[in-house]
């Protein structure tokens, strides 16, 4: 089996994107411009409504999957451990992931009770995206989906905090971190969401202190994890974990490794679509770490990748960031 530079575990959610106008949204009772969770029956209804209005685009998504796509486009070998059903959406997700250069490790699940997770997105002429997400089968990923053999020779593991909401996800993370460390690699996680951290604070803190070599979070997530102000939260975090990264929504990112502390300024631009900013910051950062760059250089790569993705619609980079890195003297 190929030795992968970076392996990710996360929600495998396919975006089903179609155009609609305000009258369509009103008729379907879709609230404009927000993301809301929906039940399976509602998701099937909205898929049928999309089909009536024309052909939809199927685009693989999910936070860690977007990060892996960014890392892959930078030239590293990537693999994704996720869970899709053996249905039209699941087969499309797996095939497109492979076509983009990331190995989709686990075959689509046959005979399962749940369909592939999907975010049904309606784009109105003014560019607003109205997202209706059904979580489906991806949240059921567990330790049986983690094959230790996949980690042989691999160097970096990246986990998605959202999957920590279920006991099976927690077990999968532990199994993956153990397999990664056994192979001599580095394991890390994105905290993903302050509300998710609130729900599982003790387990998150145990994971960060016992199993993770690097952790990425924004200021709100770090404050939630340690239930204190940001300075004190980061002091506690750096006592728990070797490499700590904090993004601060427009302010310089803070990066800590051992006794080193680095501030990396952000590139201020007017965002066209903020979707994927955190995912691609992680992509640039992990690419830098995985290729042996120092902490500041890796942080600058993360900031540049985030700036690129918010300059256009979509959660994955469109420009060859290696060219940007070369112009900036980073590689």
């Amino acid at each position: 089996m190929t030795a992968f530079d970076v392996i990710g575990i996360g929600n495998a959610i396919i975006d089903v994107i179609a155009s609609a106008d305000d009258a369509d949204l009103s008729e379907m009772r879709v609230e404009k411009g927000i993301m809301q969770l929906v039940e399976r029956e509602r998701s099937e209804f909205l898929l049928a409504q999309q089909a009536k209005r024309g052909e939809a685009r199927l685009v693989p998504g999910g936070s860690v999957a977007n990060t892996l796509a960014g890392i892959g486009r930078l030239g590293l070998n990537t693999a994704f451990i996720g869970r899709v059903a053996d249905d039209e959406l699941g087969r499309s997700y797996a095939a497109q992931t492979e076509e983009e250069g990331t190995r989709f490790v686990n075959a689509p699940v046959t005979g399962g009770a749940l369909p592939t997770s999907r975010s049904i997105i309606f784009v109105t002429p003014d560019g607003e995206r109205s997202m209706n997400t059904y979580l489906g089968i991806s949240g059921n990923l567990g330790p049986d989906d983690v094959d230790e053999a996949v980690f042989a020779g691999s160097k970096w593991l990246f986990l998605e905090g959202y999957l920590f909401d279920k006991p099976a996800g927690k077990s999968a993370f532990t199994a993956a971190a153990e397999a990664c460390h056994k192979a001599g690699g580095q394991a890390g996680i994105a905290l993903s969401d302050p509300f998710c951290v609130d729900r599982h604070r003790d387990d998150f803190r145990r994971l960060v202190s016992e199993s993770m070599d690097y952790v990425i979070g924004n200021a709100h997530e770090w404050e939630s994890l340690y239930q204190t102000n940001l300075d004190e939260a980061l002091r506690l975090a750096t006592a728990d974990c070797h490499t700590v990264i904090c993004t601060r929504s427009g302010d310089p990112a803070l990066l800590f490794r051992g006794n080193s502390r680095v501030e990396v300024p952000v590139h201020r631009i007017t965002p066209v679509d903020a979707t994927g900013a955190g995912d691609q910051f992680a992509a640039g950062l992990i690419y830098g770490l995985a290729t042996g760059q120092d902490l500041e250089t890796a942080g600058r790569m993360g900031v540049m990748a985030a700036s690129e993705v918010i300059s256009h619609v979509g959660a994955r980079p469109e420009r060859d960031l290696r060219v940007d890195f070369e112009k900036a003297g980073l590689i």
Side-chain angles (χ1 to χ4, degrees), residues 9-12 82-84 106 109 112-115 117 134-146 162-163 165-172:
I9 300 180
N11 279 307
R83 195 170 174 84
V84 298
N106 298 326
V109 177
L114 295 174
S117 307
Y134 169 62
L135 296 177
I137 197 173
S138 68
N140 284 0
L141 186 138
D144 290 345
D145 296 301
V146 178
Y162 289 120
L163 274 177
D165 254 333
K166 292 189 177 182
K170 295 177 184 178
S171 298

Side-chain angles (χ1 to χ4, degrees), residues 146 157 159 164 168-181 207 211-212:
V146 178
L157 169 67
L159 307 171
F164 214 62
K170 295 177 184 178
S171 298
F173 282 5
T174 300
E178 289 175 354
C180 174
H181 288 143
L207 185 76
S211 301
M212 295 296 103

Side-chain angles (χ1 to χ4, degrees), residues 10-329:
N11 279 307
I13 301 176
I14 193 162
D15 293 339
V16 190
I17 306 170
S19 299
D21 57 30
D22 288 349
D24 291 327
L25 299 186
S26 178
E27 180 183 337
M28 293 181 289
R29 304 186 308 282
V30 170
E31 192 166 348
K32 184 175 179 178
I34 68 165
M35 191 286 283
Q36 56 185 350
L37 296 177
V38 299
E39 298 298 324
R40 179 175 181 174
E41 184 177 357
R42 173 69 171 162
S43 78
E44 299 291 350
F45 167 78
L46 293 174
L47 285 174
Q49 292 298 309
Q50 278 188 334
K52 284 169 53 178
R53 289 168 167 79
E55 188 173 353
R57 287 192 301 127
L58 304 181
V59 181
S63 179
V64 162
N66 290 334
T67 296
L68 290 172
I71 294 170
R73 291 179 189 184
L74 284 165
L76 299 186
N77 291 327
T78 56
F80 180 51
I81 298 173
R83 195 170 174 84
V84 298
D86 188 15
D87 53 24
E88 180 185 359
L89 296 183
R91 290 188 293 273
S92 177
Y93 191 103
Q96 289 192 64
T97 298
E98 292 268 350
E99 288 167 6
E100 286 205 10
T102 293
R103 175 74 59 83
F104 193 81
V105 172
N106 298 326
V109 177
T110 58
L114 295 174
T116 296
S117 307
R118 73 287 302 261
S119 184
I120 303 156
I121 302 171
F122 296 95
V123 183
T124 43
D126 58 4
E128 287 277 8
R129 293 159 67 91
S130 306
M131 297 179 282
N132 306 266
T133 302
Y134 169 62
L135 296 177
I137 197 173
S138 68
N140 284 0
L141 186 138
D144 290 345
D145 296 301
V146 178
D147 180 359
E148 185 176 311
V150 173
F151 292 84
S154 298
K155 299 297 187 292
W156 293 82
L157 169 67
F158 187 46
L159 307 171
E160 182 176 316
Y162 289 120
L163 274 177
F164 214 62
D165 254 333
K166 292 189 177 182
K170 295 177 184 178
S171 298
F173 282 5
T174 300
E178 289 175 354
C180 174
H181 288 143
K182 186 176 179 180
Q186 302 280 304
I189 191 170
L191 295 177
S192 295
D193 181 85
F195 302 108
C196 185
V197 171
D198 283 340
R199 290 191 292 271
H200 307 281
R201 183 172 291 106
D202 290 344
D203 286 339
F204 259 120
R205 288 192 61 173
R206 190 177 305 111
L207 185 76
V208 167
S209 64
E210 296 179 2
S211 301
M212 295 296 103
D213 302 291
Y214 67 101
V215 182
I216 303 170
N218 64 33
H220 299 302
E221 291 157 0
W222 285 116
E223 290 170 344
S224 173
L225 184 63
Y226 290 98
Q227 293 184 287
T228 186
N229 64 70
L230 183 59
D231 287 342
E232 178 64 8
L234 292 175
R235 187 189 71 78
L236 294 169
T238 54
D240 281 347
C241 184
H242 182 254
T243 302
V244 168
I245 296 94
C246 176
T247 58
R248 298 189 296 163
S249 186
D251 290 326
L254 304 176
L255 297 88
F256 304 84
R257 177 186 280 165
N259 294 322
S260 300
R261 180 186 187 276
V262 173
E263 287 194 23
V264 178
V266 298
H267 298 279
R268 292 186 180 275
I269 65 170
T270 301
V272 174
D273 178 7
T275 306
D279 302 341
Q280 295 312 318
F281 174 85
L285 175 87
I286 295 169
Y287 171 80
L289 296 176
T291 54
Q293 306 295 334
D294 61 60
L295 198 58
E296 181 177 359
T297 300
R300 290 178 63 190
M301 288 176 168
V303 166
M304 291 181 70
S307 297
E308 190 282 336
V309 82
I310 66 174
S311 70
H312 57 78
V313 174
R316 299 184 176 188
E318 292 183 349
R319 193 168 64 241
D320 185 350
L321 283 164
R322 286 172 299 186
V323 175
D324 294 1
F325 294 168
E326 288 172 2
K327 288 180 179 177

